[in-house]
Amino acid sequence: MSNPDDSIIRLRNVSKSFATPKGSFKAVDNASLAIRRGDTFGIIGTSGAGKSTLLRLVNLLERPDTGEVHVDGRDVTALSKAGLRDLRRSIGMIFQQFNLLQNATVADNVAFPLRIHGATRAEIADRVRECLAIVGLQDKADAYPAQLSGGQKQRVAIARALATRPSILLCDEPTSALDPQTTRSVLDVLKEVNQKLGVTIVIVTHEMSVVRALCRNVAVMEHGRVVEQFSTDQAHGVLTDIAKELHYA
Ligand SMILES: Nc1ncnc2c1ncn2[C@@H]1O[C@H](COP(=O)(O)OP(=O)(O)OP(=O)(O)O)[C@@H](O)[C@H]1O
Ligand SMILES: [Mg+2]
């Protein structure tokens, strides 16, 4: 399908509610968003604003109640099982707590999505090497997660997320469990993934330093809604104001 404005991700009037003991709760409320191919896009907002839910709507870990989610010009809610598998392959995801398999080596962690998608042994070996080289951990292939630092664990998670050669990487607070120096090294890897591999990066964060270091565009969420969207190079001062408003600074 043609995609005239070159958005790789487009949400239109998307809502998502959850059943709670007190009734239905609207976590994402009529949100619209367009993310350009090759962008580094930040999503910020107070706790509970709906950031993680919004991110999970993109790869259909959450299904929207209403509204449209388009990825690469495809309406993801209309995909067949095979289509959904392709979508998942084209979108990597990383998390605050890394979510590595503790009983598997680094190499097996990276190989995991490839095994799910039925890659051959030779493909897996090549791809694992390639992805560990991207994150600078070739020498840790046989280590177990418990033997790694937090920053190294997140780099393994990035390698795993890249294993299927996705065009999009979703990052949910990927540096929130890391100290500032380690955060910088992970952001450097993400920058390289964006610049050298052309992967579109969408990152939820509460750290304005992360937004400044990595993001070209930012959306601000509040009570499930996208209340503001701006590009960081046109927004000197705006970031500081927003940080104050969100009590980040
Ligand atoms: N599966 C669920 N069932 C019930 N409520 C949920 C579910 N997932 C999220 N919520 C609620 O929806 C709201 C938005 O959650 P979400 O995790 O998207 O927020 P967030 O902006 O990522 O917050 P944080 O910064 O704390 O991670 C919260 O009030 C949360 O409790
Ligand atoms: Mg969250």
Side-chain angles (χ1 to χ4, degrees):
M1 201 195 280
S2 71
N3 203 9
D5 62 0
D6 206 30
S7 300
I8 191 167
I9 298 169
R10 176 178 282 286
L11 309 186
R12 195 172 292 153
N13 305 118
V14 173
S15 294
K16 175 72 187 177
S17 295
F18 293 109
T20 73
K22 291 183 191 161
S24 171
F25 180 83
K26 215 171 217 184
V28 172
D29 185 4
N30 204 30
S32 296
L33 201 63
I35 299 178
R36 272 200 342 265
R37 186 179 304 279
D39 205 358
T40 46
F41 194 98
I43 299 173
I44 62 176
T46 46
S47 180
K51 307 180 295 295
S52 296
T53 306
L54 189 81
L55 205 61
R56 294 160 60 83
L57 285 162
V58 174
N59 58 358
L60 228 61
L61 288 178
E62 303 289 358
R63 199 167 270 276
D65 301 327
T66 56
E68 290 172 24
V69 179
H70 284 85
V71 175
D72 238 339
R74 292 167 300 181
D75 174 358
V76 300
T77 58
L79 289 175
S80 63
K81 259 196 170 155
L84 191 56
R85 227 177 8 250
D86 283 347
L87 176 81
R88 295 261 163 79
R89 202 164 25 206
S90 72
I91 304 179
M93 189 164 187
I94 60 171
F95 307 88
Q96 179 172 353
Q97 296 305 333
F98 324 125
N99 295 7
L100 298 179
L101 303 166
Q102 295 303 316
N103 297 319
T105 62
V106 163
D108 282 336
N109 266 281
V110 178
F112 186 71
L114 298 167
R115 294 212 168 96
I116 288 182
H117 290 293
T120 66
R121 283 176 91 136
E123 278 170 342
I124 291 175
D126 277 356
R127 204 69 71 74
V128 167
R129 233 188 331 265
E130 173 189 310
C131 291
L132 286 180
I134 293 168
V135 302
L137 288 177
Q138 302 96 307
D139 56 333
K140 296 290 183 193
D142 298 323
Y144 285 86
Q147 299 167 308
L148 303 178
S149 70
Q152 289 170 331
K153 285 179 195 166
Q154 194 58 291
R155 277 148 64 195
V156 174
I158 294 170
R160 178 179 60 182
L162 294 176
T164 55
R165 295 203 174 124
S167 48
I168 298 169
L169 181 61
L170 305 177
C171 314
D172 197 350
E173 309 246 16
T175 59
S176 299
L178 306 176
D179 62 54
Q181 198 181 333
T182 314
T183 291
R184 260 197 305 280
S185 76
V186 167
L187 292 180
D188 285 345
V189 171
L190 291 177
K191 248 187 204 167
E192 221 171 284
V193 165
N194 173 252
Q195 288 171 359
K196 292 199 179 149
L197 306 179
V199 174
T200 303
I201 292 186
V202 187
I203 180 169
V204 168
T205 182
H206 65 267
E207 296 163 295
M208 297 313 274
S209 57
V210 169
V211 171
R212 285 198 190 88
L214 186 66
C215 300
R216 281 182 222 114
N217 289 288
V218 187
V220 185
M221 286 193 76
E222 220 174 83
H223 304 302
R225 289 187 297 271
V226 175
V227 292
E228 222 164 326
Q229 206 179 323
F230 55 87
S231 85
T232 47
D233 58 3
Q234 300 165 350
H236 308 291
V238 176
L239 269 178
T240 317
D241 292 346
I242 288 174
K244 277 191 196 132
E245 218 172 285
L246 297 173
H247 307 294
Y248 285 169

